[in-house]
Amino acid sequence: ELPENYEEILAKKVARVPQPSKADMEAAVAEQKTIIDQAYDRMNEGKTMRDKRTAVRERNKPEYNAAKKAWEDAKKMLFAKFDEKKALLESIQEVRDADTGARGSAAKDGAPSGPKELRGIKSLEDLEDRVKQLEYKLTSQSFAISEEKKIIAEMSYLQHKGREAIMEAERKRG
């Protein structure tokens, strides 16, 4: 739809812009070409920098790959050492468990039966040795708080009630 005053709009003359001279057009084109050339220069600088980075990467790639392989080898060796340590600790624990079992079976040889703290202890010397072992274990190794409390409780029991039980067993024996 045409506006209501379309006849007035058509009656007005359109302002005509004079055509620029050839020199003005050439100057405007030269300015645009300068801007385009600068853009191309910036693009070429970026490409040159990328090519330099790529060349440096390619030049250092063998060194990088060798260092990466050495790191991977060191990591594998470290994990192998961790596995060896774990196996050793497990075998040590098995020996300790077997030793504890052997001590427990000694209760049949005249040691007082009763609490597990007294199993394998036949005399006051054995009792003192056990207390010294626990003290050494407590000072030379690190434990969780709950485990430390158990060791301290066992030491306390051996020093007081354990001593009394051993002395009474010795009186009964002889």
Side-chain angles (χ1 to χ4, degrees):
E1 293 183 27
L2 295 174
E4 295 178 10
N5 61 351
Y6 76 92
E7 291 180 5
E8 292 175 20
I9 294 173
L10 289 177
K12 289 183 184 177
K13 288 191 172 183
V14 177
R16 298 210 180 245
V17 178
Q19 185 171 4
S21 67
K22 192 168 191 172
D24 290 340
M25 285 189 348
E26 286 176 0
V29 168
E31 284 180 31
Q32 293 300 316
K33 281 187 178 181
T34 303
I35 292 171
I36 291 170
D37 289 342
Q38 289 172 351
Y40 276 124
D41 289 343
R42 283 194 306 264
M43 281 182 7
N44 288 334
E45 285 175 13
K47 185 178 181 224
T48 303
M49 292 302 290
R50 267 193 319 274
D51 291 345
K52 286 181 183 178
R53 279 195 313 261
T54 302
V56 168
R57 276 191 202 131
E58 290 300 319
R59 189 172 53 240
N60 294 331
K61 197 170 191 174
E63 293 174 23
Y64 172 78
N65 287 339
K68 185 176 179 182
K69 184 177 181 341
W71 184 78
E72 290 291 332
D73 292 343
K75 189 172 141 183
K76 286 179 185 175
M77 188 169 49
L78 178 67
F79 286 130
K81 293 292 181 184
F82 281 147
D83 291 340
E84 286 178 29
K85 179 183 174 185
K86 185 177 179 182
L88 282 173
L89 289 175
E90 288 173 355
S91 65
I92 288 170
Q93 189 61 41
E94 288 174 6
V95 169
R96 284 182 181 165
D97 292 344
D99 187 38
T100 304
R103 287 184 191 166
S105 66
K108 298 172 188 166
D109 300 340
S113 62
K116 68 178 180 179
E117 289 89 355
L118 294 177
R119 289 187 187 142
I121 298 176
K122 297 178 190 176
S123 65
L124 288 175
E125 292 86 26
D126 291 343
L127 180 93
E128 293 299 326
D129 288 344
R130 179 66 180 147
V131 170
K132 286 179 183 176
Q133 284 175 353
L134 290 172
E135 285 176 352
Y136 178 76
K137 188 176 180 181
L138 195 61
T139 58
S140 65
Q141 297 176 12
S142 60
F143 297 99
I145 294 291
S146 61
E147 188 67 24
E148 247 181 73
K149 286 181 180 179
K150 287 178 185 176
I151 293 172
I152 292 170
E154 183 178 350
M155 285 172 47
S156 176
Y157 179 84
L158 289 173
Q159 288 171 340
H160 300 298
K161 291 185 181 179
R163 185 176 304 277
E164 293 170 6
I166 294 291
M167 288 171 57
E168 187 172 325
E170 284 182 353
R171 269 187 258 136
K172 285 182 180 177
R173 271 187 264 156

